Amino acid sequence: MGQIEMGRFFRYLIEGMLTLLAVFFFTTIILLASGAPPFAAYYHIFKGSLGSWSKLAHVIKVWIPLTLCASGLLYTFRIGLWNIGVEGQIMLGAVFTTAVLRLGAAESMPMLFLGLSFIAGIAGGAIWAIISGYLKTKGGVHEIFAGLGLNFVGQGIILWLIFGPWRRPGVASMSGTELFSQKLWISFIPVLRFSPVGLALALTALVSTALILRYTHMGLNLKAVGNNQDAAYLLGLKPDRYMITAMIFAGGFAGLAGSVQVTGVYHRLLPAISSNYGYLALLVVMLANYNVWITPAVAFFFACLNVGSIQLPMMLKIDSSLSGVIQGSLVLATLAVFSWRTHKKRFQEQLRHV
Amino acid sequence: MYELDLTILFAGVVAGAAPIVLAALGETITEKAGIINLSLDGTILLSAMAAFVVAFETDNILLGFVVAAGVGAMVAAIVAFFSIYLNQSQVAVGFVLTLMTRDMAYFLGNSYSRIQGPQVTPLPLGFLKNIPLVGPVFFNQNIPVYFSLVMILFCWWYMYRTPLGLQLRSVGEHPRASYARGINPKKLQMFYAICGGLLVGLAGATFSLSVKPGWGRPQGAEGTGWIALAIVIFGGWHPLKAAMGAYLFAFLQVMGIYCQQWVPSVPAQVFQVAPFPLMIFTLLVMSLAQKESVLSWAEDKAGMKSILAFFSGTIPTSLGKPYRPD
C-alpha cells in the first residue's frame, strides 16, 4: 500500500514539475516576444515580492482578500455553483461598510462602528449573493449570468455613489470618496502598514471553512447536493436551500474582504475597490483543485506574482499584467494535465473491459 | 446647444455598434452549436491589440484584420478543444482565457500604447449614400461596418435557410440525434466555435482600427465582450434579434453621453450598466415563460402575453454540454 502511495506521490510531483516547466517556457516565450529579458523579469518578481519584510507585508495584504474570497468560493464550488458574482459581492461589502462608517456618530465611537461596519460588509456581500442565488433557484437564471450582471450593477452603484451622493467636497473624481479620519482605520503595524486584524479574519475564515466542510452535516450535505442533486433530493435534502446557504457563505466572506479593503487598505471607497481579487480567487480555487489546504498556498503564490510584478514597469518598462499571464497559463496547463490523467485512466479501464 | 441631429446620431450608432454586432453574431453561432465561449472580453482585447500592432508594423490594414481573426479563432479553438476533446468545463476554460488574454494583450501591446497608427478610411457607397435618411445612416460608413451589416443577414440566412444551418442548430440542440443522422457533432462544434471566434477577432480589429483607433491600457473596448454575451441571451440566440440588441445597446451608450449632459452628476459609465439588468430580466422572463402557472396567469392579459412571446427565445438544449459518445 505504502508503495502505491509513494508511486502516486511521485507521479503527481512529476506532473506538477512538467506543468511548471510548460508555464515557464510559455511565459519566457511571451517575454522574449515583447523584447524583455526573461530572467531579469523573474528576478524582479521574486525580489519585489519576497525581497524584504515590507514587500512580504504587502504580499500578505493581497493574500488576505484573496483567501477570504477563496474560502467562500469553496462552499459554492462544493455544491457545484459557479459563483462568478464574487467580484460584485466584494463591491457591495465595501459599499455597506462605507455607508456605516459615514454615519455621523461613527467618529465618536470608532470601535463600535468598525465592528458594525464589518457586519454590514458581510450583510452586503451576502445580500448580493442571495439575489443571484434566488435568481438561480426560483427564477431559473444561470448563476454565471446573474452573477456577472450583478458585478456590473455593483460597479455602477459604486460609480454613482462616488460621483453622486458620496462625492468629495469640491471635485468628484475616480480617486474615490473622502479619506476616513484615522480613528476609523483598523489598527495596523506602523512600519509594515499591514493589519493583523485582517490576517486574523482570513485565517479564521480558512480554518472554519475547512472544519465546516469536513466535519459538519452541512458540509456533507453540500457535497451530496453537488455530486447528485436528484439523489440528494430523494434523501430528503432540499437542494435549493443548500444552494442559498452556500451562496450566503460565499457572499459573506467576499463582503468581509470588501470591508477589509475599505477599513484596512484604502480607507475610502474607490471604483477599483475589488481589484479583480474575486476573479483571481476563482482561479486560485481552481488551481488548488478545490482543496481547502492547498488554497492558501496558491493564494500566497498568486499574491507574490501580483505584488512582484508591480516592479516591472519601473525596472524593465514592461507591463505588470505579466502576473496575469503566468496565473492564467498555470491554471490552463493544470487543467490540461488533469484531463490527460483522467483520460488515460478511462482508456486503461476500457482496455481492461475488452 | 445640443441639437440632436437624428441622421448623425443613427449613423454614429450603426458605426459604434459594428464590433458589438460582429462579436454577438460570432457568439450566437458558437452557442447555437452548443459551445459557450466565455472568453469574449479578453479575446476582443487581444485581437484588437494584434490588429493594431500588425497594421502599424506592416502599414497594411487588411493584414491587421486577418491576424485579428486568426487570434480570435485560436482562442475559440482552445476553449472548444478543452471542452470537446479534453472533457473540461467550457465555463472554466473560457473564464481563465478571458483573464489571461486580456493580460496578454496589455503585456504584449505595452510598447505600442498611445501612438498614432493606421485606421480604416470611410468608403461612401456611390449612389446609395444619396438615399434620404437611409443613405447617410447605412451607406456612408467604412468596410467593417458594411461587413457587419452583411453578416447579420448572412448569419440569419445560413442558420435558418440552409441545410448546413440546420446541421449547426441540430448539434446544439441534440448532438446524439445528429450523430445518428451521420453528422460528427465533435467536428462540427469545433468548426463553428472557430467560425464564431473569427468574427469575435474581427470585432476586436474593428475596435482598434476603426471605432476606437489605437491601443492603450485601457483601450476602451473593455467590457464589450461581456456585453456581447449578454446581448446573445437578450436576442434569444437569434442573429437578427441579437443584432437588434447590439444596436439598442449602442443607442443607449450614445444616449448615455447625452444624458450625462442633462444629469452631469451621473457618470456615463453608470448608463453602460444598462444591458446587464436587461440580460438578467430577459433570462428571468424566458425561464418563467416556460412555467405552466405563469402562462395561465398571462392568458387573459394581452400585454403580458406579447411580452412573453417577445422573450420566448429558447436556450440551445445542449449548450455547454458537449457530446459524449457512449
Side-chain angles (χ1 to χ4, degrees), chain B residues 274-285:
Chain B
F276 295 102
L278 264 179
M279 166 185 78
I280 296 176
F281 179 73
T282 311
L283 279 172
L284 192 63
V285 174

Side-chain angles (χ1 to χ4, degrees), chain B residues 30-31 33-37 83 88-91 172 189 315-324:
Chain B
T30 314
E31 292 194 11
I35 303 282
I36 175 162
N37 182 359
S83 135
Q88 291 294 314
S89 153
Q90 290 165 14
V91 172
Q189 286 185 327
I315 180 164
T317 319
S318 300
L319 181 62
K321 295 168 234 155
Y323 171 66
R324 307 249 172 278

Side-chain angles (χ1 to χ4, degrees), chain A residues 2-23:
Chain A
Q3 211 156 16
I4 296 172
E5 283 295 316
M6 280 297 273
R8 189 189 291 167
F9 175 74
F10 273 114
R11 210 168 56 235
Y12 285 161
L13 197 71
I14 289 168
E15 279 175 6
M17 299 291 270
L18 280 176
T19 313
L20 279 176
L21 211 65
V23 172

Side-chain angles (χ1 to χ4, degrees), chain A residues 163-222:
Chain A
F163 284 87
W166 291 355
R167 72 169 168 277
R168 240 186 313 190
V171 59
S173 80
M174 292 299 273
S175 60
T177 59
E178 210 177 354
L179 220 58
F180 295 126
S181 83
Q182 287 235 7
K183 280 184 243 157
L184 293 174
W185 299 11
I186 52 173
S187 53
F188 57 90
I189 302 166
V191 191
L192 298 177
R193 299 191 64 81
F194 103 92
S195 152
V197 179
L199 186 63
L201 284 172
L203 286 174
T204 315
L206 190 72
V207 172
S208 61
T209 301
L211 294 178
I212 288 174
L213 289 181
R214 179 85 175 79
Y215 291 111
T216 65
H217 260 289
M218 198 192 94
L220 184 66
N221 292 346
L222 286 177

Side-chain angles (χ1 to χ4, degrees), chain A residues 82-102:
Chain A
W82 243 87
N83 181 23
I84 210 171
V86 58
E87 194 75 22
Q89 290 150 19
I90 303 176
M91 292 178 200
L92 262 284
V95 166
F96 275 50
T97 306
T98 313
V100 168
L101 292 182
R102 284 181 66 89

